[in-house]
Amino acid sequence: MKILSIQSAVAYGHVGNSAAVFPLQRIGVEVLPVYTVNFSNHTGYGAWRGPMISPDDVREVITGIEERGAFPGIDAVLSGYQGGEGIADVILDAVARVKAANPDAIYACDPVMGNAKSGCFVAPAIPVLLRDRVVPAADLITPNQFELGFLTDTEPDTLESTLASVDLVRATGPSAVLVTSVERPDREEGTIEMLAVDDAGAWIVQTPLLPMKANGSGDVSAALFTAHYLRTRDAADALARTTSSVFDLLERTHESGERELQLVESQDAYANPRMQFTVRRVR
């Protein structure tokens, strides 16, 4: 399996491609990483150094990959945080060219905008661009519950309203949806959930809610779910594997006391997930 991953990169810590590439490699995926920024660290620190890469330069890198004859062998294009408006055109163009070379390839989009606690942390034009142009072109999307609400102009909170919002966004284009950070008012205290939906049904999984914030965990979730789903087209299995791996990554990070994901230290959790959480069919 080969995935063309168009995302940010940092030297210190793990977000974007710096979070997604290694877990994918550890489960046997060949990754072609293309960077949209090359920062010293993620912007959550309030200070960082390094360049945002221009859309033209990103396009040039992708064209170079195409010129090596790689596109027919690419199974998925994966994108995450989009720092500027221009990068969307580059990503959508790459998706079209990859699909022309391999009609079975999919586009997996993590529509990064923000979260319920912090609100939107991207430029004001980005959420609208994602909703109106990028998400409709995707086959698989991995929003959190907050982002799902923006994409559908709804306020999902219960299981029923979250499923209804998923149906609305699926009607715009994506056939498969992974919703992360699902927080229902009637869930068991101290837990959090993820929900996966495709044409075959809908499944939810619940884990303990760890008292921490971990930048990059969404990038790992999107990458692993994309790869597992590609391999099996089984949303329940992909959900179980992804949840197991990401929870163990977060638990190890929490126990370490470090701010950054313990990505390398947790590598066995990707290759050999414990499958310790029950996935329940809800539709």
Side-chain angles (χ1 to χ4, degrees):
M1 184 189 300
K2 291 184 180 179
I3 293 180
L4 174 66
S5 183
I6 308 170
Q7 300 196 57
S8 60
V10 295
Y12 178 86
H14 301 287
V15 298
N17 268 335
S18 302
V21 172
F22 178 66
L24 287 173
Q25 291 173 329
R26 192 64 181 82
I27 64 171
V29 177
E30 181 73 28
V31 188
L32 290 72
V34 175
Y35 301 150
T36 55
V37 307
N38 190 10
F39 288 165
S40 55
N41 50 271
H42 68 71
T43 58
Y45 284 94
W48 65 92
R49 296 179 183 270
M52 180 177 289
I53 300 171
S54 76
D56 286 343
D57 286 340
V58 176
R59 191 188 304 270
E60 281 292 289
V61 172
I62 294 169
T63 298
I65 294 170
E66 183 179 29
E67 290 170 346
R68 302 286 75 76
F71 278 12
I74 291 175
D75 299 289
V77 178
L78 172 65
S79 71
Y81 171 78
Q82 298 187 21
E85 296 177 55
I87 198 64
D89 288 329
V90 176
I91 292 169
L92 292 175
D93 180 60
V95 169
R97 287 152 63 188
V98 166
K99 287 191 170 190
N102 178 12
D104 292 328
I106 71 165
Y107 172 35
C109 171
D110 184 8
V112 178
M113 305 176 199
N115 56 61
K117 294 181 175 62
S118 305
C120 275
F121 50 65
V122 296
I126 297 298
V128 177
L129 181 64
L130 287 168
R131 181 192 64 200
D132 294 348
R133 294 192 55 218
V134 179
V135 165
D139 302 287
L140 164 64
I141 61 170
T142 60
N144 60 37
Q145 196 173 28
F146 170 84
E147 292 159 344
L148 175 66
F150 181 88
L151 292 172
T152 56
D153 194 24
T154 60
E155 296 184 4
D157 53 0
T158 66
L159 178 58
E160 292 73 19
S161 63
T162 302
L163 285 168
S165 296
V166 170
D167 289 341
L168 288 173
V169 80
R170 290 183 72 229
T172 70
S175 59
V177 178
L178 172 71
V179 187
T180 62
S181 301
V182 174
E183 299 186 59
R184 296 185 288 140
D186 59 342
R187 74 189 188 281
E188 185 180 343
E189 186 176 355
T191 65
I192 195 165
E193 295 167 315
M194 286 206 291
L195 174 72
V197 183
D198 69 358
D199 290 341
W203 295 265
I204 199 164
V205 63
Q206 187 176 88
T207 73
L209 174 61
L210 297 170
M212 61 180 293
K213 177 184 177 182
N215 294 88
S217 58
D219 302 321
V220 177
S221 298
L224 288 176
F225 186 84
T226 296
H228 290 312
Y229 188 71
L230 265 174
R231 278 184 171 147
T232 66
R233 302 292 174 160
D234 183 335
D237 180 73
L239 179 62
R241 292 179 182 278
T242 301
T243 302
S244 174
S245 299
V246 173
F247 179 81
D248 282 353
L249 165 64
L250 291 174
E251 187 173 52
R252 180 181 288 268
T253 301
H254 178 58
E255 290 173 350
S256 75
E258 298 291 332
R259 176 171 179 172
E260 295 292 341
L261 291 176
Q262 300 300 287
L263 196 79
V264 175
E265 295 83 351
S266 304
Q267 60 182 285
D268 193 56
Y270 325 135
N272 303 292
R274 293 189 291 140
M275 308 294 276
Q276 68 271 41
F277 301 111
T278 300
V279 172
R280 179 171 60 93
R281 186 171 189 136
V282 292
R283 192 169 68 188

